[in-house]
Amino acid sequence: LGAIATRVQAGRLAGADAIGVAVGKVINKHKMAKHLDVAITDTSLSVTRRTEQITAEAALDGIYVIRTSLPTATLDAPGTVHAYKNLARVERDFRSMKADDLDLRPIHHYLTDRVRAHVLICMLACYLSWHLRAALAPLTYTDEHPPTRDNPAAPATRSASAQHKTSRHLDTDGEPLRSFRGLLEHLATLARNTITLGGTTFDKITTPTATQRRAFDLIGAPIPLSLK
């Protein structure tokens, strides 16, 4: 704005409209209109800073406020911050549901009931994925026992056991750790083969790896001998 004021004083910029356009471009670019008092005439430009307001806002630079409608008895201040930080997990699940894993979109349905049914199935699948992530955590890099933070605003840290897993890249049985998606891809290699021998046809499951066996143990289900 100083350069514009110099042009006005030198007579190179005149007219309230022209001066206002020039000032508006600068103020809108830097989003500072709320901190300035601007007086414009055809031959003058006066800009005064709102010092008290600027000082008050500067004191809060880098600080944001989290507000909730819940009473303190239900959700206190640390709990509110913790709940806000957990939104990252919700966003991850929605991303997984919409694009990465469950393919909510595109929706090839047009009738209302079918669209709702499609979304419900995807949400149930997302809920199942949430349980699987927890149950299969010993086989992935997931922190099974994240440390409790006294200050919920402090950066999250991983537990000693999680750091140990990350450094070794092995689970407690000495088997390679995988990401959750990598583990699902490994489980997908467990297949059923239909074999015909001497006129007899039978099904046989491929020999499961140690990781595949443990995965089924963790979810409390036997490895299916057939897919019927």
Side-chain angles (χ1 to χ4, degrees):
L1 294 178
I4 297 175
T6 300
R7 291 167 58 196
V8 173
Q9 291 175 358
R12 297 194 303 272
L13 181 62
D17 292 343
I19 297 173
V21 170
V23 170
K25 288 181 179 179
V26 175
I27 288 180
N28 291 336
K29 178 180 179 181
H30 297 285
K31 311 296 183 184
M32 297 300 292
K34 61 182 178 179
H35 294 314
L36 303 173
D37 289 319
V38 181
I40 299 174
T41 68
D42 287 336
T43 58
S44 66
L45 168 62
S46 173
V47 180
T48 304
R49 295 185 178 185
R50 299 174 182 173
T51 307
E52 292 185 2
Q53 182 173 318
I54 293 174
T55 302
E57 187 160 313
L60 298 177
D61 280 349
I63 299 174
Y64 60 91
V65 177
I66 300 174
R67 182 179 180 182
T68 177
S69 59
L70 295 175
T72 304
T74 303
L75 194 65
D76 59 9
T80 301
V81 176
H82 183 70
Y84 177 78
K85 285 180 172 286
N86 279 343
L87 285 177
R89 299 180 182 179
V90 177
E91 292 168 355
R92 179 199 65 191
D93 289 340
F94 268 100
R95 183 172 60 252
S96 172
M97 183 173 69
K98 290 191 293 184
D100 293 346
D101 300 317
L102 304 179
D103 295 329
L104 172 64
R105 295 176 178 174
I107 297 177
H108 299 291
H109 298 289
Y110 301 95
L111 299 179
T112 301
D113 288 345
R114 292 187 178 183
V115 172
R116 288 178 176 173
H118 175 70
V119 173
L120 175 61
I121 291 172
C122 287
M123 291 191 68
L124 291 175
C126 186
Y127 183 62
L128 177 61
S129 296
W130 180 79
H131 278 286
L132 283 175
R133 286 180 185 274
L136 300 176
L139 305 180
T140 68
Y141 290 98
T142 301
D143 192 346
E144 301 169 58
H145 307 288
T148 301
R149 286 177 287 178
D150 295 331
N151 179 6
T157 57
R158 290 173 64 81
S159 65
S161 60
Q163 294 178 18
H164 184 64
K165 286 201 301 184
T166 302
S167 64
R168 296 179 68 241
H169 302 289
L170 299 173
D171 63 18
T172 54
D173 293 335
E175 296 295 325
L177 288 172
R178 295 174 171 83
S179 65
F180 179 69
R181 179 177 292 186
L183 178 59
L184 294 183
E185 291 173 352
H186 179 64
L187 290 173
T189 63
L190 189 63
R192 180 187 66 174
N193 297 313
T194 300
I195 302 172
T196 300
L197 184 64
T200 302
T201 300
F202 58 94
D203 295 332
K204 182 175 178 58
I205 298 292
T206 54
T207 302
T209 65
T211 297
Q212 290 170 338
R213 289 185 182 278
R214 191 174 179 208
F216 277 91
D217 289 340
L218 288 171
I219 63 175
I223 297 176
L225 298 179
S226 69
L227 301 180
K228 296 180 180 179

